[in-house]
Amino acid sequence: MELSRSDLADFAYFLAIARHRSFRKAALEMQVTPSALSHAMTALETRRGVRLLNRTTRSVTLTAAGEDLFAAIAMPIERIAEASGNLDRLRDAPAGRIRINVLEDAVPLVLDPVMPVFVDRYPDVEIDIAVNNRMIDIVGNGFDAGIRYGGTVPEDMVARRLSPSLRWIAAAAPAYLDRFGAPAHPRDLANHRCIGIRLGNELVYKWEFERDGESLEIATPGPVTVDESHAAVAFGRAGVGIIYGAAPILQPDIDRGALIPLLPEWASVGEGFHIYYSGRRQVPTALRLLTDLIREVRPLDAWSHGSARWPHTLPAGE
């Protein structure tokens, strides 16, 4: 039986379903509806006279024939996709679509300064951005890449650094300090109201402090715990309690006097932002262009681990 154009399209759909074991996630990657994928697979199985997928309401698995097909076509179609990407690099005007999942803090600190330049420079590239502080499987959920603080990047991903290391500080509103005073030592936070931070893995973060080689992790008490920075900063400005965050996030409110930095000599240093993606896939041209532009614009170069604002140079190989 000859290979048709319908077969080629349906093989690409089949590979996405085989990788994700989910019609919904495969549909996100292929930019079609789950119903369209289902019809395509039914048509492929009918044309070829063999069942490729076992489908239930909760799962999708491959039949023996499906496993054989996946093993036979995965590498050749990946090479075709790579060749297509190489052609895109030769275009005068790069095009394509990428989906990235980004941490909330990365939007104002990394993307806001870069996106006006990017959309002007590459008007034919479409970027779908999902802002999410929760840890997710970016490959399983159909994303090309993610942006997070370096210490939270999954170990099985390829990561490239986008910013210098950043200082993390505690701060509070003048109204709070007028009522309760300021802590003189990180351990004094046990007697204060603090806004807790719930991480993307559902754990409550222990605030980290460093001074003269001494490191402390403080389990902070308080009436409120949040899982996103904007809420924490808003509660801090309102005098609900002491907050903790990356210095560049808090600096605008500090500059306005809405927040007062606390325990500055105990500021800790955390890894900066990284973009990460699977090493098992060809990196889309648009994603490479976005990464290169962020490293060109260097939106966080004014921040570094030694002081509030201190120029920093990224190592060339990272």
Side-chain angles (χ1 to χ4, degrees), residues 55-110:
R55 301 181 238 188
T56 70
T57 56
R58 294 189 176 183
S59 67
V60 179
T61 59
L62 303 183
T63 65
E67 294 282 4
D68 289 344
L69 179 62
F70 181 78
I73 69 174
M75 186 60 70
I77 289 186
E78 184 175 325
R79 288 176 177 170
I80 292 171
E82 182 176 348
S84 176
N86 289 337
L87 288 177
D88 285 341
R89 293 189 182 95
L90 301 177
R91 289 170 50 105
D92 291 334
R97 178 178 183 268
I98 54 173
R99 297 185 73 233
I100 59 175
N101 186 281
V102 305
L103 191 71
E104 176 198 10
D105 286 357
V107 176
L109 299 183
V110 176

Side-chain angles (χ1 to χ4, degrees), residues 49-282:
V50 61
R51 188 157 55 91
L52 302 172
L53 303 170
N54 295 314
R55 301 181 238 188
T56 70
T57 56
R58 294 189 176 183
S59 67
V60 179
T61 59
L62 303 183
T63 65
E67 294 282 4
D68 289 344
L69 179 62
F70 181 78
I73 69 174
M75 186 60 70
I77 289 186
E78 184 175 325
R79 288 176 177 170
I80 292 171
E82 182 176 348
S84 176
N86 289 337
L87 288 177
D88 285 341
R89 293 189 182 95
L90 301 177
R91 289 170 50 105
D92 291 334
R97 178 178 183 268
I98 54 173
R99 297 185 73 233
I100 59 175
N101 186 281
V102 305
L103 191 71
E104 176 198 10
D105 286 357
V107 176
L109 299 183
V110 176
L111 296 182
D112 279 1
V114 168
M115 293 311 297
V117 180
F118 189 89
V119 298
D120 281 345
R121 188 178 295 184
Y122 309 112
D124 295 326
V125 173
E126 179 186 352
I127 303 182
D128 186 343
I129 300 171
V131 182
N132 191 337
N133 288 342
R134 294 182 180 276
M135 290 296 298
I136 68 167
D137 175 1
I138 60 168
V139 175
N141 283 276
F143 291 98
D144 295 292
I147 298 178
R148 303 190 70 85
Y149 290 115
T152 63
V153 172
E155 293 182 357
D156 60 344
M157 292 283 140
V158 175
R160 295 189 68 194
R161 187 148 65 118
L162 299 178
S163 82
S165 298
L166 301 174
R167 295 169 66 247
W168 287 71
I169 60 174
Y176 177 90
L177 299 176
D178 288 343
R179 289 186 63 192
F180 301 104
H185 189 279
R187 293 193 181 91
D188 294 341
L189 292 170
N191 300 314
H192 280 268
R193 298 176 181 176
C194 299
I195 308 300
I197 303 169
R198 188 172 301 281
L199 300 174
N201 58 9
E202 295 298 329
L203 297 177
V204 175
Y205 177 62
K206 292 182 178 179
W207 296 6
E208 298 178 73
F209 297 92
E210 301 172 358
R211 186 180 70 175
D212 299 332
E214 181 182 2
S215 298
L216 298 174
E217 290 187 352
I218 305 296
T220 49
V224 178
T225 299
V226 298
D227 64 357
E228 59 109 37
S229 298
H230 291 161
V233 173
F235 289 141
R237 284 196 301 262
V240 176
I242 296 174
I243 62 173
Y244 181 91
I249 290 290
L250 304 185
Q251 193 66 47
D253 284 294
I254 292 173
D255 290 342
R256 290 192 294 268
L259 292 174
I260 306 297
L262 305 176
L263 305 167
E265 72 279 12
W266 283 95
S268 68
V269 177
E271 290 193 48
F273 290 102
H274 287 62
I275 190 165
Y276 64 99
Y277 45 83
S278 173
R280 299 178 182 177
R281 293 185 179 182
Q282 176 75 12

